[in-house]
């Protein structure tokens, strides 16, 4: 009934009146800016509140874009059905992840056998640090023990344990949901695209197709670039750690490559883990110095050669925008948000680059 009344009302409005009505909605620049900022704030708030639901869906979308060529190849060349090709592509992706983590777990089992030596070396370094603080900064051992006991109080320990358990539970749930979402996204890809096209007026559908096509290519190129960077960083780090004689060099190189997927911050955690793992050998400080040198050299090569050539060229995003986006992504969704920040910014850049074309359609 409402639509019928609106159609009747249109019959009584002349074209001149319609043009006058359009002029009412020609907002000044500051109003448009306020609306855009409000919309962005609302989107960020929605992503923050719904991160537990949105994070695995967005991760699955990124991986689905990565594996879409595999599914398409199986359908066109091998003549698989849509469901079977999608299931096979998802299975291959999950298998690669499982094999990688199985290798890492086996290496960690070997590292656990050296736990007594790690404790011994940690005790030596801790004793040397205590003596340095006492002699150089006049902080007695009793004061140091009191500060440590306050920092690791029972209540704090319970909070940390609870937070860690919750984080592990959420991660396991995401590991189960991501392949399921990925399979469904690949399976119903055409339905999702049709739904988006139905939402957009017909005169803007060409623009929508352009955004979807370029967004898919940009995200896929970025992820492939990250994987290439991960392999090169893993190989360089492994070679460097082998040269200085670090035990479990292959494991630490692979972990460094994986953590390097988290821009700017992952390498710091990788360095700390490598220093900790070096305690399985002799407690010589030169090994730690060698690890720092290896990490600095690899990061110099990564930041100045690999990232500009392999990663940044794929998305063409300003470095400042990347850093700010990663910080905001970390505030919203933690490590997952940091990983998703660059693909989301790349898609937004494609949309913003083409949004001005709407007036010409």
């Amino acid at each position: 009934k409402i639509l019928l009344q609106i159609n009747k009302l249109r019959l009584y409005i002349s074209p001149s009146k319609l043009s006058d009505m359009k002029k009412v909605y020609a907002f000044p620049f500051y109003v448009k800016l306020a609306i855009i900022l409000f919309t962005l704030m609302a989107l960020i708030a929605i992503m923050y509140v719904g991160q537990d639901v949105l994070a695995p869906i967005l991760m699955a979308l990124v991986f689905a874009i990565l594996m879409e060529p595999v599914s398409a190849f199986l359908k066109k060349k091998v003549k698989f059905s849509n469901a079977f090709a999608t299931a096979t592509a998802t299975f291959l992706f999950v298998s690669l992840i499982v094999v990688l983590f199985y290798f890492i777990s086996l290496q960690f089992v070997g590292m656990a056998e050296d736990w007594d030596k790690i404790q011994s070396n940690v005790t030596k370094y801790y004793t040397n640090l205590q003596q340095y603080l006492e002699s150089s900064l006049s902080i007695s051992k009793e004061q140091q023990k009191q500060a440590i006991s306050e920092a690791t109080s029972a209540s704090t320990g319970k909070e940390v344990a609870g937070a860690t358990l919750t984080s592990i539970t959420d991660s396991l749930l995401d590991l189960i949901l991501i392949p399921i979402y990925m399979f469904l996204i690949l399976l119903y890809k055409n339905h999702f695209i049709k739904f988006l096209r139905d939402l957009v007026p017909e005169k803007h559908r060409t623009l929508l197709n352009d955004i979807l096509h370029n967004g898919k290519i940009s995200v896929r190129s970025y992820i492939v670039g990250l994987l290439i960077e991960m392999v090169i960083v893993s190989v360089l780090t492994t070679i460097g750690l082998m040269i200085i004689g670090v035990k479990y060099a292959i494991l630490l190189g692979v972990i460094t490559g994986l953590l390097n997927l988290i821009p700017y911050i992952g390498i710091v955690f990788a360095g700390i883990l490598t220093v900790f793992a070096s305690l399985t050998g002799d407690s010589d400080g030169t090994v730690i110095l060698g690890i720092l040198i290896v990490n600095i050299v690899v990061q110099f090569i990564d930041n100045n050669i690999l990232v500009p050539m392999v990663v940044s060229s794929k998305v063409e995003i300003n470095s400042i925008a990347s850093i700010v986006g990663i910080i905001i992504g970390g505030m919203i969704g933690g490590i997952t948000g940091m990983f998703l920040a660059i693909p989301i910014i790349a898609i937004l850049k494609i949309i913003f680059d083409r949004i001005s074309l709407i007036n010409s359609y």
Side-chain angles (χ1 to χ4, degrees), residues 71 74 91 107 124 150 174:
S71 177
L74 293 174
F91 176 76
Q107 296 295 314
K124 291 180 182 178
E150 290 176 356
D174 289 345

Side-chain angles (χ1 to χ4, degrees), residues 20-278:
D20 293 338
M21 291 176 66
K22 289 181 180 179
K23 291 180 182 178
V24 175
Y25 295 97
F27 297 119
F29 170 76
Y30 59 86
V31 176
K32 292 180 180 180
L33 180 62
I35 294 173
I36 292 172
L37 291 176
F38 177 79
T39 304
L40 289 174
M41 291 173 61
L43 289 175
I44 293 174
I46 291 172
M47 293 179 68
Y48 178 77
V49 173
Q51 59 180 292
D52 293 336
V53 177
L54 294 176
I57 293 176
L58 292 175
M59 290 288 288
L61 177 61
V62 170
F63 294 139
I65 292 174
L66 178 65
M67 297 302 293
E68 193 267 340
V70 177
S71 177
F73 173 81
L74 293 174
K75 285 188 287 186
K76 293 179 180 179
K77 301 297 183 180
V78 191
K79 304 300 180 182
F80 282 177
S81 65
N82 183 34
F84 191 57
T86 300
T88 304
T90 306
F91 176 76
L92 290 174
F93 175 80
V94 173
S95 299
L96 287 174
I97 300 299
V98 170
V99 169
L100 179 61
F101 279 96
Y102 179 71
F103 166 76
I104 293 175
S105 64
L106 287 180
Q107 296 295 314
F108 269 117
V109 170
M111 189 181 294
E113 297 175 358
D114 296 325
W115 181 248
D116 292 336
K117 194 162 189 176
I118 292 175
Q119 284 183 314
S120 175
N121 288 333
V122 168
T123 302
K124 291 180 182 178
Y125 281 114
Y126 175 67
T127 302
N128 293 334
L129 179 62
Q130 276 188 321
Q131 293 175 354
Y132 173 78
L133 292 176
E134 188 173 16
S135 61
S136 300
L137 303 177
S138 301
I139 302 176
S140 64
K141 293 182 179 180
E142 289 73 16
Q143 291 175 324
Q144 296 176 36
K145 289 180 181 179
Q146 183 179 358
I148 293 173
S149 62
E150 290 176 356
T152 58
S153 60
S155 59
T156 304
K158 290 179 181 179
E159 292 175 0
V160 172
T164 304
L165 182 61
T166 303
S167 177
I168 293 174
T169 304
D170 293 341
S171 299
L172 291 175
L173 182 61
D174 289 345
L175 289 176
I176 296 172
L177 290 176
I178 287 174
I180 296 175
Y181 289 147
M182 178 180 167
F183 171 78
L184 294 175
I185 291 171
L186 287 172
L187 184 64
Y188 298 115
K189 176 189 67 174
N190 294 331
H191 295 277
F192 293 136
I193 294 175
K194 184 178 182 300
F195 172 74
L196 290 175
R197 286 174 180 167
D198 290 340
L199 289 178
V200 176
E202 187 173 355
K203 64 179 181 179
H204 299 322
R205 287 178 185 173
T206 304
L207 179 62
L208 174 65
N209 293 336
D210 182 48
I211 291 174
L212 292 175
H213 176 72
N214 285 280
K216 181 174 65 174
I217 291 176
S218 180
V219 171
R220 185 184 300 150
S221 300
Y222 173 73
I223 299 300
V224 171
L226 273 185
L227 294 177
I228 295 173
E229 180 196 14
M230 180 191 73
V231 172
I232 297 175
V233 168
S234 299
V235 172
L236 292 177
T237 305
T238 300
I239 294 173
L241 295 178
M242 283 182 173
I243 291 174
I244 62 177
V246 175
K247 199 174 181 181
Y248 306 110
I250 297 177
L251 170 65
L252 296 172
V254 172
I255 292 177
T256 301
L258 287 173
L259 290 176
N260 198 55
L261 295 176
I262 305 171
Y264 304 107
I265 296 177
I267 192 63
V268 177
F269 292 105
I272 294 172
L273 179 61
T274 304
V275 170
F276 180 77
S278 69

